[in-house]
């Protein structure tokens, strides 16, 4: 089955620890995205990548880092510098420009 | 920078009533997309509009793209409890190519 997979679905971490969220797609899409969603909020773009080994900051990149070493994978690291990391994180992929985005199931991160 | 604004943020209706959400962009969009996110789920693509003035229908849902390609609307006729969720508009284009701009979404509650 083609699709986009995020793991894990739920993640708990202690404050001050870095944590990496996984996102893998087998849709052969060039573009991948990370969004953050808080309760009652829309989708805020953290980082996006249009091609392997290249990525751009979105609107709320501070405290986050990404890598794009493979076309299929776009992991997001939530660093200890992120002041309020508890949120629902969504990964998406698409053919670049003018096409629909496919979303993963999301990872709900809780930092205590 | 580019912004996609969506209103209202929340809408509560009685089952059988109609519902409309509106989307406005600060710049001309190459297309507009609509997504639905069920409670606890991830956004799922509904439709894409490309042409100026385009109108598309999916059963009880009617989607419109403005003549200037800067605004759009989603209208649901005779809402049902299965329509509950958050509806997002999103558009490609603007100052940064390869980036999909999402509105904040309209959270629809349907009372039986």
């Amino acid at each position: 089955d083609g699709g986009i997979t995020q793991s894990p679905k739920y993640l708990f971490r202690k404050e001050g620890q870095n944590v990496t969220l996984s996102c893998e797609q087998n849709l052969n899409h060039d573009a991948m995205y990370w969004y953050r969603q808080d309760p009652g909020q829309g989708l805020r773009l953290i980082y996006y990548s249009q091609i392997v080994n290249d990525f751009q900051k979105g609107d709320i990149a501070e405290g986050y880092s990404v890598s794009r070493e493979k076309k299929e994978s776009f992991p997001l690291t939530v660093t200890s510098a992120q002041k309020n990391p508890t949120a629902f994180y969504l990964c998406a992929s698409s053919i670049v420009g003018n096409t629909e985005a496919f979303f993963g199931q999301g990872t709900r991160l809780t930092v205590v | 920078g580019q912004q996609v604004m969506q209103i209202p943020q929340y809408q509560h209706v009685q089952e059988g009533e109609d519902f409309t959400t509106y989307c406005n962009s600060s710049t001309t969009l190459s297309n507009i997309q609509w997504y639905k996110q069920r409670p606890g789920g991830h956004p799922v693509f509904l439709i894409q509009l490309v042409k100026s003035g385009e109108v598309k229908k999916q059963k009880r849902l009617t989607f419109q793209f403005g003549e200037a390609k800067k605004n759009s609307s989603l209208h649901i006729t005779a809402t049902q409890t299965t329509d509950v969720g958050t509806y997002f508009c999103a558009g490609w284009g603007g100052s940064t190519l390869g980036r999909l701009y999402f509105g904040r979404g309209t959270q629809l509650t349907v009372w039986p």
Side-chain angles (χ1 to χ4, degrees), chain A residues 12-20 77-81 85 109 111:
Chain A
F12 295 87
R13 278 294 183 270
K14 290 185 178 180
E15 194 173 337
Q17 291 181 335
N18 290 356
V19 59
T20 297
T77 297
V78 184
T79 75
S80 56
L109 173 65
V111 176

Side-chain angles (χ1 to χ4, degrees), chain B residues 10-86:
Chain B
Y10 302 98
Q11 186 77 55
H12 307 277
V13 300
Q14 191 93 35
E15 190 172 19
E17 292 181 339
D18 292 356
F19 159 77
T20 305
T21 174
Y22 301 90
C23 184
N24 286 284
S25 170
S26 55
T27 60
T28 301
L29 299 169
S30 57
N31 65 38
I32 193 85
Q33 299 175 354
W34 287 92
Y35 293 79
K36 177 182 179 180
Q37 183 179 24
R38 294 182 184 275
H42 60 281
V44 174
F45 176 81
L46 291 176
I47 206 162
Q48 175 171 287
L49 304 171
V50 179
K51 298 177 184 176
S52 169
E54 189 171 12
V55 177
K56 285 188 176 180
K57 292 191 175 184
Q58 287 181 350
K59 297 183 180 178
R60 295 177 294 105
L61 278 62
T62 301
F63 304 84
Q64 294 189 347
F65 200 11
E67 294 291 339
K69 300 183 77 172
K70 294 175 75 172
N71 64 286
S72 182
S73 65
L74 158 59
H75 180 82
I76 302 178
T77 303
T79 54
Q80 299 176 358
T81 54
T82 53
D83 295 325
V84 165
T86 301

